[in-house]
Amino acid sequence: MTDDAFGLLEKALEAADHAAVGAAVSGLGDRERRSMVKPLRAYRLRWQQERDAADQWLWGRGARERRAAQGRRRLVYDRGPALRLAGAGVLRGPEELARWLTDRRFFQGPYREGFTGELELLRERDAPWLRELTERLAGRVDDATRPDCRLAVLDLLAETGVTPPPRAELVRSWVHRSHHRDVAAAGLGKDPLLKAMVPLLFAVDEVGELLENGPFAQRLVAAADGDGGALPRAVLLDGVLRRLLRGGRTGDLRGHLRLYTLLEVTTAEAAERVRELTLLLSDAPSAVAALAQAELRRLEEAERFTAGELCEVTEVVLFRPERKLADAQLSWLAKAVPRHPEHAVALLTAAGAAFAHSSTQVAQRATRLVVRHAGALTPAAAEELSVRAESLPADLRTVLGPALGIEVSAPDGAPPPPPPAPPARTSRAPIGSLAELAEETAQLLSVMTDGVRFSHRAEVDPPALERVLAAVVSAAHEDRPGLISALTPVLDRHGIGPGESESHLRSYTDPLGELCDLLGAATGEVRRRDSGLRRFYGHAAADEAPDADPFFGTRLYQWRTNTERCPGPVRVLLHRLREITFGLAHAPVPMLVATPTEPDGTLAAAQLTERLERAARAGWTPWEYDLQLALLRLAPDPEPRLAERANAIGSPAGDRLADWLSFGAARATVQRPRGLRAIGLRPAAVPARSGVPAAGNDTLLSWLTTPPDVRRPLYPRAQLASCWPALWPAQQELMAAFVVSALPDLVDNRSNEGSGMIAALAETPGSGGPVLLLAITLTLSATRAEDRAVAVDALLALAAGRRLDGATLGAEVAARARQGEVKLSRVVPALREAAGSGAYREIWDAVAAALPSVLADPPHRLADLVALGTECAAWAGAGEEIPALTEYAARPGSTRLLTETRRLRDVLARHS
C-alpha cells in the first residue's frame, strides 16, 4: 500500500465521509493492512490532540469566540465515527481492534451511523481471527459502550459460536435486545443465543432487576413451555434455585423470585428439589426463605415431605429473627400436629425453639401451641421443653409450667454488663522524620482513595491528617529537596505530579483532589510571589501579577462557586487544604498554628500563644484561615493571664488571640429543628473588636454558622467526614445539625450520607445534646443495616461516657414515630441491641419517656417498643408507675399491644 493510498483514506477521514472510508479500507490484504497501521495510529493521535485543543479553547472566551470554537469542535468530533470504521478495516491485532471499537471517545458529538459498516469489514477476515476478536470484544463491552457496538457483539457471538463470558454487562445487552420489535415478534425460542445466555442469567449478579420488571420473564417462561422445546424448564428451575442459594442483594433476588412464581412449579418438580428448598431456609433473605417455606408446606400437605423433615426445618426457621417467618412456621406446626399424631411429641419439642425468639409474640404463640397439645407430651419431652422455657419471660413461664406438670420458675436472666468505658485517647507525637512522613502519607492517600462512601470504617483519622499536614508544611520550609526525595515514590504510585495543579482548580470540590494538589505543591518549586495567596483571599487584583496564569482568576471564581454549594464544614476543609497548597507554592511558612494538641481537635491556648510568639520573633505571619481555625479550636472559656501574654506579642495575630482569650471564644447556638429539614443556626455574640473574625462573608465562622442547603447533597466525598468534630471541638451540636438535614434520605433509601458522622460525634467528649440524639434517632431507622449499626455504636459510646440522656432520646423517638418519620420496625431492634450491650437503663428511660406520647396515638409496631420496655424494666428493676400505660392496659381487648402493655404493667408492679 503506498502513501498515496493512505492519502485517499486520510482525505475521506478529514471529510468525515463514512461511505468513502468504508470503500477505502474494504477488500484489503494482509500486506496492505500492515502498511496502513502506523499512519492510521499517527492520524488518531493527531485527531485526539485536535479534539483536546478544541475542548480547551472553550474556556475563558467570549460568546463569539465560543461559537466559532464550537463549530471547529463539531468538525473534529464528526471524524470520530469514520475513524472507528477505518480501524475496523485496517487494524490487525484483535486486542488493539477491540479497544479501538469500544473506545467511547470516537462518539462525543452527533452520531447517526450504526455498526453495519464495521460488521461488513470484520466479516472479510478469516474465521479464527474473527473468533478471537469476538472473545476480546465480549470481554470489553460494558454498560457505557455504545448500543450499536453491544448489539454487534451479540451478533458476532451468534455467528462465530463463541461461548459468552459470564459478565453482567453482556447479559443486560442481550435482555435489552430481546425487547426490540423484530426479536420480540419472533419470540425468544428463535434466539440463537438463548441456550448460551440463559445460564448466565443465574451465574452473574446484578441482573435480577431485568426479571423483576417488564415482559422478559414471561417470554422466558413461554420459551420453556413452548412445544418446540427450545429451553427445558429444568434449566430455569435449577438456575433460579442456584441463584437464590448464592444469595446477594434482596433487590437483585426479587426478579428471580418472580420468575420462580411465573413458572408455576408443580408438586412433582418441587419434590425433586427438596434439598435446595431446605437449604434456603437457613440464611437466605426473608423473602426467599418465605418462598421456600411455602413450597415445603405445600409438599407436606401433599404428603411429599415427612414429619421428621418438618421438625428439622422448624428448628432452622425458628432460629431466624424474622417474626413473620416464625409465625408462619408455628401456623404450619399447628396444622401439622393433628395430621401427624404419631410425631406430635417431636413437632411440639421443635416448637420449643421459639421460646428463645426475640419477639415476645412468637414466644407467646409457641407457648399457646404447646399448652394446647400438652396432653400428647411424654415426661422426657416435657422435661426438655422446661429447659427451653428458661428463656421465656416470667409471665409465660407461669402459664407453661402447670401445663407441663413441672415447675418452671427460673428467675429472670441477669442483666448484661454495662458498656466498657472508652479507652483514653492520647495525642501522638509529631512526625519526626521524612521516612515516617512518607509512610503516613501513603496510608492517608490509600484510605482517602478507598473511602468513597460515608462509612465509619473507612474514615480518615483526624489526628493522622493533622500530623501529615503539619509535617509537610514544616519539611517543605526546612528541607524541600529532602521532602521531594521522600514523597516522590509515594506520589508517583497515585499519579500526583509536582506543582500546585492550578489547571485542576476549577473542578476540585472534594478533599481528595485538594490533598493531591497540596502534596504536589509541596514537591514543586517555590514561586516567590504572594499574589496567588492574596488573590485566593480576594485581596489582590489581576494586574498585581503580570506573570500569572491569565485564566487563574476564572478558575478561582469557578472553584469558589463550587465550594459555596457545600455545607459549612466541607467548605472549611476545602479552604484549609487549598490555602496550604497556595502557601506551599507561593509563601511557605515554618509551621501551621492550628495543629491540635488534643485528640478531639482542641488546641491549648498556651501552645497557640507560644506558636505566635515564635512567628513574631522569626518575622513571618500565619496564613489567614490557619489562624482562624486555630482560634476556633480554643477552649471557650476566657483566660485573662494568657491574654496579657498574647497582647505582648505585638503582632496582629497576637492581638486577635488576646481578644479571644479576654472575652472567650465565639459561640454558636442551634435552634430547635422545626421538622426534619428546617435546621436553624444562629451565631452567638462574638468579641466586639474589629480585629476578631466575626460572622462576615469570608470567615470560617460564617461558613460554620450558615444553615445547610437541604437541596444539595451533604458531602460530595466522605473521606473527611470524621474530621468535622475537630473543626470546632466546643460546638459538637453545630456539626450534628449539618448532618440532620441529610438523614431523612437515609431513612427513605435514597442516600447513605450522614451515618459515618454519627459515631465520630458520639465519641467526642462533651457531645450528647438534643440535635445529636435527633440524628441518632433518624439513623436508627436507616434502611441499611450497616447504618443502623453505626447508630447503635453511637448510643453505646454515649452510654459508656455517661452522656446518653434516655428521656431526650425517648422524646425524639416518640415524636418521629408519631409523624411517620422513623419506622419502629427498624428502631426497636437497634435499641434492643444497645440494651443487650449494656445500655438497658438508658433504653428503659427512653421507652418510659416515649410511652405517654405514643400510647395516645399508637404508631405501627408500637407493641415491639413496649415489649422492649418490659425486658429493660426487668433488668433495671424499674418500678415507677406510668399512668398512661396503666390506663391503656385497662382497656378491654386482646390485641398484641394490649397484651404487651399489661405485661409491662405487671413487671413494673412486681418491682415497685
Side-chain angles (χ1 to χ4, degrees), residues 526-543:
V526 179
R527 290 175 284 177
R528 288 291 181 180
R529 68 172 192 270
D530 64 352
S531 60
L533 196 56
R534 287 172 58 82
R535 293 174 72 185
F536 175 64
Y537 295 138
H539 301 322
D543 55 4

PDB file of all heavy atoms in Angstrom, residues 526-543:
ATOM      1  N   VAL A 526       9.137  26.638  44.515  1.00  0.00           N
ATOM      2  CA  VAL A 526       8.501  27.774  45.155  1.00  0.00           C
ATOM      3  C   VAL A 526       8.587  28.974  44.220  1.00  0.00           C
ATOM      4  O   VAL A 526       9.673  29.333  43.750  1.00  0.00           O
ATOM      5  CB  VAL A 526       9.173  28.104  46.503  1.00  0.00           C
ATOM      6  CG1 VAL A 526       8.520  29.316  47.148  1.00  0.00           C
ATOM      7  CG2 VAL A 526       9.103  26.910  47.429  1.00  0.00           C
ATOM      8  N   ARG A 527       7.441  29.556  43.927  1.00  0.00           N
ATOM      9  CA  ARG A 527       7.391  30.770  43.119  1.00  0.00           C
ATOM     10  C   ARG A 527       7.189  31.936  44.066  1.00  0.00           C
ATOM     11  O   ARG A 527       6.085  32.156  44.558  1.00  0.00           O
ATOM     12  CB  ARG A 527       6.270  30.682  42.085  1.00  0.00           C
ATOM     13  CG  ARG A 527       6.571  29.665  40.990  1.00  0.00           C
ATOM     14  CD  ARG A 527       5.398  29.529  40.057  1.00  0.00           C
ATOM     15  NE  ARG A 527       4.329  28.737  40.681  1.00  0.00           N
ATOM     16  CZ  ARG A 527       3.157  28.517  40.101  1.00  0.00           C
ATOM     17  NH1 ARG A 527       2.894  29.045  38.920  1.00  0.00           N
ATOM     18  NH2 ARG A 527       2.246  27.784  40.706  1.00  0.00           N
ATOM     19  N   ARG A 528       8.252  32.654  44.341  1.00  0.00           N
ATOM     20  CA  ARG A 528       8.250  33.662  45.394  1.00  0.00           C
ATOM     21  C   ARG A 528       7.433  34.886  44.994  1.00  0.00           C
ATOM     22  O   ARG A 528       7.948  35.916  44.569  1.00  0.00           O
ATOM     23  CB  ARG A 528       9.684  34.078  45.717  1.00  0.00           C
ATOM     24  CG  ARG A 528      10.467  33.011  46.472  1.00  0.00           C
ATOM     25  CD  ARG A 528       9.936  32.846  47.882  1.00  0.00           C
ATOM     26  NE  ARG A 528      10.694  31.828  48.622  1.00  0.00           N
ATOM     27  CZ  ARG A 528      10.421  31.504  49.877  1.00  0.00           C
ATOM     28  NH1 ARG A 528       9.442  32.093  50.513  1.00  0.00           N
ATOM     29  NH2 ARG A 528      11.134  30.576  50.485  1.00  0.00           N
ATOM     30  N   ARG A 529       6.168  34.753  45.077  1.00  0.00           N
ATOM     31  CA  ARG A 529       5.263  35.895  44.973  1.00  0.00           C
ATOM     32  C   ARG A 529       4.039  35.543  45.806  1.00  0.00           C
ATOM     33  O   ARG A 529       3.651  34.383  45.899  1.00  0.00           O
ATOM     34  CB  ARG A 529       4.867  36.186  43.525  1.00  0.00           C
ATOM     35  CG  ARG A 529       3.996  35.124  42.890  1.00  0.00           C
ATOM     36  CD  ARG A 529       3.501  35.597  41.533  1.00  0.00           C
ATOM     37  NE  ARG A 529       2.451  34.736  41.033  1.00  0.00           N
ATOM     38  CZ  ARG A 529       2.638  33.659  40.281  1.00  0.00           C
ATOM     39  NH1 ARG A 529       3.857  33.317  39.937  1.00  0.00           N
ATOM     40  NH2 ARG A 529       1.622  32.934  39.861  1.00  0.00           N
ATOM     41  N   ASP A 530       3.452  36.544  46.412  1.00  0.00           N
ATOM     42  CA  ASP A 530       2.291  36.279  47.258  1.00  0.00           C
ATOM     43  C   ASP A 530       0.985  36.614  46.563  1.00  0.00           C
ATOM     44  O   ASP A 530      -0.074  36.609  47.187  1.00  0.00           O
ATOM     45  CB  ASP A 530       2.379  37.047  48.578  1.00  0.00           C
ATOM     46  CG  ASP A 530       2.355  38.555  48.367  1.00  0.00           C
ATOM     47  OD1 ASP A 530       2.431  38.991  47.204  1.00  0.00           O
ATOM     48  OD2 ASP A 530       2.242  39.279  49.372  1.00  0.00           O
ATOM     49  N   SER A 531       1.039  36.902  45.240  1.00  0.00           N
ATOM     50  CA  SER A 531      -0.190  37.284  44.555  1.00  0.00           C
ATOM     51  C   SER A 531      -1.185  36.124  44.509  1.00  0.00           C
ATOM     52  O   SER A 531      -2.387  36.328  44.629  1.00  0.00           O
ATOM     53  CB  SER A 531       0.118  37.762  43.140  1.00  0.00           C
ATOM     54  OG  SER A 531       0.752  36.733  42.392  1.00  0.00           O
ATOM     55  N   GLY A 532      -0.673  34.878  44.318  1.00  0.00           N
ATOM     56  CA  GLY A 532      -1.584  33.745  44.273  1.00  0.00           C
ATOM     57  C   GLY A 532      -2.341  33.589  45.575  1.00  0.00           C
ATOM     58  O   GLY A 532      -3.563  33.403  45.592  1.00  0.00           O
ATOM     59  N   LEU A 533      -1.630  33.705  46.711  1.00  0.00           N
ATOM     60  CA  LEU A 533      -2.285  33.575  48.007  1.00  0.00           C
ATOM     61  C   LEU A 533      -3.189  34.763  48.288  1.00  0.00           C
ATOM     62  O   LEU A 533      -4.280  34.636  48.830  1.00  0.00           O
ATOM     63  CB  LEU A 533      -1.220  33.431  49.099  1.00  0.00           C
ATOM     64  CG  LEU A 533      -1.686  32.918  50.460  1.00  0.00           C
ATOM     65  CD1 LEU A 533      -2.378  31.586  50.319  1.00  0.00           C
ATOM     66  CD2 LEU A 533      -0.514  32.807  51.411  1.00  0.00           C
ATOM     67  N   ARG A 534      -2.734  35.977  47.889  1.00  0.00           N
ATOM     68  CA  ARG A 534      -3.559  37.165  48.115  1.00  0.00           C
ATOM     69  C   ARG A 534      -4.835  37.115  47.280  1.00  0.00           C
ATOM     70  O   ARG A 534      -5.912  37.484  47.741  1.00  0.00           O
ATOM     71  CB  ARG A 534      -2.757  38.422  47.776  1.00  0.00           C
ATOM     72  CG  ARG A 534      -1.677  38.764  48.812  1.00  0.00           C
ATOM     73  CD  ARG A 534      -0.801  39.894  48.329  1.00  0.00           C
ATOM     74  NE  ARG A 534      -1.596  41.084  48.040  1.00  0.00           N
ATOM     75  CZ  ARG A 534      -2.006  41.958  48.970  1.00  0.00           C
ATOM     76  NH1 ARG A 534      -1.708  41.741  50.232  1.00  0.00           N
ATOM     77  NH2 ARG A 534      -2.709  43.010  48.635  1.00  0.00           N
ATOM     78  N   ARG A 535      -4.724  36.658  46.037  1.00  0.00           N
ATOM     79  CA  ARG A 535      -5.918  36.561  45.209  1.00  0.00           C
ATOM     80  C   ARG A 535      -6.848  35.454  45.727  1.00  0.00           C
ATOM     81  O   ARG A 535      -8.063  35.527  45.569  1.00  0.00           O
ATOM     82  CB  ARG A 535      -5.526  36.303  43.757  1.00  0.00           C
ATOM     83  CG  ARG A 535      -4.798  37.477  43.131  1.00  0.00           C
ATOM     84  CD  ARG A 535      -4.285  37.145  41.753  1.00  0.00           C
ATOM     85  NE  ARG A 535      -5.373  37.046  40.787  1.00  0.00           N
ATOM     86  CZ  ARG A 535      -5.199  36.678  39.527  1.00  0.00           C
ATOM     87  NH1 ARG A 535      -3.982  36.350  39.101  1.00  0.00           N
ATOM     88  NH2 ARG A 535      -6.212  36.622  38.703  1.00  0.00           N
ATOM     89  N   PHE A 536      -6.274  34.439  46.342  1.00  0.00           N
ATOM     90  CA  PHE A 536      -7.105  33.401  46.960  1.00  0.00           C
ATOM     91  C   PHE A 536      -7.949  33.993  48.083  1.00  0.00           C
ATOM     92  O   PHE A 536      -9.117  33.641  48.259  1.00  0.00           O
ATOM     93  CB  PHE A 536      -6.210  32.292  47.492  1.00  0.00           C
ATOM     94  CG  PHE A 536      -6.946  31.215  48.247  1.00  0.00           C
ATOM     95  CD1 PHE A 536      -7.869  30.409  47.609  1.00  0.00           C
ATOM     96  CD2 PHE A 536      -6.720  31.019  49.591  1.00  0.00           C
ATOM     97  CE1 PHE A 536      -8.555  29.420  48.299  1.00  0.00           C
ATOM     98  CE2 PHE A 536      -7.393  30.036  50.294  1.00  0.00           C
ATOM     99  CZ  PHE A 536      -8.310  29.232  49.638  1.00  0.00           C
ATOM    100  N   TYR A 537      -7.366  34.915  48.857  1.00  0.00           N
ATOM    101  CA  TYR A 537      -8.122  35.590  49.903  1.00  0.00           C
ATOM    102  C   TYR A 537      -9.039  36.677  49.351  1.00  0.00           C
ATOM    103  O   TYR A 537      -9.896  37.192  50.057  1.00  0.00           O
ATOM    104  CB  TYR A 537      -7.181  36.236  50.922  1.00  0.00           C
ATOM    105  CG  TYR A 537      -6.342  35.260  51.702  1.00  0.00           C
ATOM    106  CD1 TYR A 537      -5.007  35.493  51.958  1.00  0.00           C
ATOM    107  CD2 TYR A 537      -6.898  34.086  52.199  1.00  0.00           C
ATOM    108  CE1 TYR A 537      -4.235  34.610  52.674  1.00  0.00           C
ATOM    109  CE2 TYR A 537      -6.137  33.181  52.916  1.00  0.00           C
ATOM    110  CZ  TYR A 537      -4.798  33.451  53.145  1.00  0.00           C
ATOM    111  OH  TYR A 537      -4.043  32.560  53.853  1.00  0.00           O
ATOM    112  N   GLY A 538      -8.814  37.052  48.068  1.00  0.00           N
ATOM    113  CA  GLY A 538      -9.621  38.111  47.476  1.00  0.00           C
ATOM    114  C   GLY A 538      -9.071  39.493  47.735  1.00  0.00           C
ATOM    115  O   GLY A 538      -9.800  40.489  47.615  1.00  0.00           O
ATOM    116  N   HIS A 539      -7.754  39.623  48.044  1.00  0.00           N
ATOM    117  CA  HIS A 539      -7.165  40.923  48.383  1.00  0.00           C
ATOM    118  C   HIS A 539      -6.291  41.492  47.276  1.00  0.00           C
ATOM    119  O   HIS A 539      -5.708  42.551  47.457  1.00  0.00           O
ATOM    120  CB  HIS A 539      -6.301  40.798  49.643  1.00  0.00           C
ATOM    121  CG  HIS A 539      -7.065  40.317  50.829  1.00  0.00           C
ATOM    122  ND1 HIS A 539      -8.356  40.701  51.077  1.00  0.00           N
ATOM    123  CD2 HIS A 539      -6.721  39.464  51.833  1.00  0.00           C
ATOM    124  CE1 HIS A 539      -8.779  40.131  52.195  1.00  0.00           C
ATOM    125  NE2 HIS A 539      -7.820  39.371  52.668  1.00  0.00           N
ATOM    126  N   ALA A 540      -6.143  40.773  46.143  1.00  0.00           N
ATOM    127  CA  ALA A 540      -5.240  41.242  45.097  1.00  0.00           C
ATOM    128  C   ALA A 540      -5.983  41.343  43.791  1.00  0.00           C
ATOM    129  O   ALA A 540      -6.870  40.564  43.492  1.00  0.00           O
ATOM    130  CB  ALA A 540      -4.045  40.303  44.951  1.00  0.00           C
ATOM    131  N   ALA A 541      -5.613  42.300  42.976  1.00  0.00           N
ATOM    132  CA  ALA A 541      -6.207  42.466  41.648  1.00  0.00           C
ATOM    133  C   ALA A 541      -5.393  41.709  40.633  1.00  0.00           C
ATOM    134  O   ALA A 541      -4.241  41.320  40.865  1.00  0.00           O
ATOM    135  CB  ALA A 541      -6.266  43.948  41.278  1.00  0.00           C
ATOM    136  N   ALA A 542      -5.965  41.523  39.440  1.00  0.00           N
ATOM    137  CA  ALA A 542      -5.301  40.732  38.411  1.00  0.00           C
ATOM    138  C   ALA A 542      -4.025  41.388  37.937  1.00  0.00           C
ATOM    139  O   ALA A 542      -3.048  40.722  37.577  1.00  0.00           O
ATOM    140  CB  ALA A 542      -6.250  40.503  37.237  1.00  0.00           C
ATOM    141  N   ASP A 543      -3.970  42.745  37.927  1.00  0.00           N
ATOM    142  CA  ASP A 543      -2.780  43.419  37.391  1.00  0.00           C
ATOM    143  C   ASP A 543      -1.613  43.402  38.360  1.00  0.00           C
ATOM    144  O   ASP A 543      -0.541  43.883  38.048  1.00  0.00           O
ATOM    145  CB  ASP A 543      -3.116  44.860  37.012  1.00  0.00           C
ATOM    146  CG  ASP A 543      -3.726  45.625  38.191  1.00  0.00           C
ATOM    147  OD1 ASP A 543      -3.802  45.043  39.297  1.00  0.00           O
ATOM    148  OD2 ASP A 543      -4.125  46.794  37.991  1.00  0.00           O
TER     149      ASP A 543
END
